[in-house]
Amino acid sequence: QRIRLPGGRYERFEARHTWSAAYRVSNWVYYNAQRHADHHTAAGRLYALLKHSGPDEAPQLPGTYAKMGNMVLFPRRWFRTMDPLVERWRTHFYPEIDDWSAYDSAAYAARPDAFEAIAEIFAAAPRMGAWIDDDPGLLDYLQTREFTELDLPEGFGPDSEFETVARCGLTRVYWTHEFDVPQMKEQLAELPFKDAREAAVAARNWSNGKVFQISMHTMRGNLSPVEAGTALSNVAEASVTQVLTVVAEEFAERRAGGPESKVAAVLIGEISSGEAAPGADLDVLFLNDGSSADYADALCRRFDEALCGLSRDSLLFAPLPHKRKTWTVRSLAEFQAHHRTAASAAEFRALFRARCVFAAGDPGLVTRFDEARREALTHGIAREALIAELRESSGNATEPDPRHVDVLRGGFRDVEGAARIQQLIHAEACPEALVPGIASAFRTLGTHGLIPADTAGSLEETATMWRNLRGILPLVMRDDCPADTAGSKVNATIARACGLDDFDVLEYNIRDTAYRATTDIAALEGRSA
């Protein structure tokens, strides 16, 4: 392997870049072919004059050409023998390189021209490295105007601090304000497709490109994970609603003369609350207006098939199993009655992150669902059971490991539980407090004077901290990578996502934030921490 230099050229060929051997008989038989390290550095030298390159100049074959020819017929034996020699070669000749993952990647084999970006990704975000190994074509999205006009080059400003602020400002404005869901839908509507199945594939490919761009900006610190969550949620909503729109139109054409479909789609989970991360669950509830139930069921089965296609090979959505029971389709009246008389605490909790994003046949279903959701959260049967459940602390871990913020005492689950309790307590007096996001919930509660302003501000900061951690980890950490083996650049990416320069400081910050959250939650409930 020749090393790629910063300017894009490869280093000059030297003896170290090819294997050599000094077996006399083999060299007689093969006309000194085992000395090909010298041949490559002096191509005009006659074979009889080729010199042997010793172990300080070139890697040495562990056997003669005949032995190596036999060994290559047995791949396990070959790799068991050669892999350690390759590692020894790397350590001896390139001690300054401690990460060869970019050179070893399928992405580099497919796109050597994009080595700088590949090396950056593999060093700072191994999960994204797996993405480009699976689909090197994602790298093309880094060359579009949409990306390059935000990723400003170095040297355009008076100093690096000015450049960082300008670059981050442009990226944040574009992805969280300017490029909103309506504009995304316009882009999706312009994609070529013949039917609903092709529309799902086109939407998936489109969303994969957007997810990759957003993730690159997040990895580089141009977007915080919280801001990226907003952008990814917009991409998810636009993709889902585009697919459902095409399915509804196609279904209506095929069943012309039948009853009009009046169906709404409700997103449930972090996508609906603007907190999506790569690999988010695509959880959808379908509701109808109570008329033409059979027609609505048939339409929703088509919705289900299309969304399975949308989630397949998606960077944004976790794949939906193809063979499974379809999503439950209820009338809005049944939904209201269920939550008034029979809903469980888990179903009730899911309502906090439930939002109607699509309605076919009757746009008023969106408003009526929102009213039904607020009514359920205010007077539903599972309200008191959920409050009691949330008051039981779910945090038990004490080590400030970034990967354990969910179960940390004072961690994400505890803070989320405290927010939901306060929202339920004040739901009737302040319906505006029933917002999906945790940070926005504390902000609203504090603004309306329902909880002390300083406590609300502190818990809002804590919720933002936990959201940033939960957003960056799925982006950079592979599931098979233990936290203590992450490289320095991975750790730096995690720390930067939380507004810090040092990963070691992050662990202290996690501990202090969890302790402060525990104290704040206890104060809200009138007890000692």
Side-chain angles (χ1 to χ4, degrees), residues 192-207:
F193 55 84
K194 292 188 297 185
D195 53 28
R197 180 175 297 179
E198 287 191 7
V201 173
R204 180 192 66 211
N205 294 338
W206 176 88
S207 66

Side-chain angles (χ1 to χ4, degrees), residues 110-148:
R111 293 289 305 276
D113 56 302
F115 177 77
E116 283 74 18
I118 294 170
E120 178 188 9
I121 291 169
F122 271 90
R127 171 65 64 85
M128 291 179 63
W131 294 354
I132 59 175
D133 264 353
D134 291 339
D135 183 9
L138 289 170
L139 294 163
D140 293 335
Y141 290 102
L142 304 184
Q143 306 303 320
T144 63
R145 288 184 60 186
E146 184 178 53
F147 187 83
T148 58

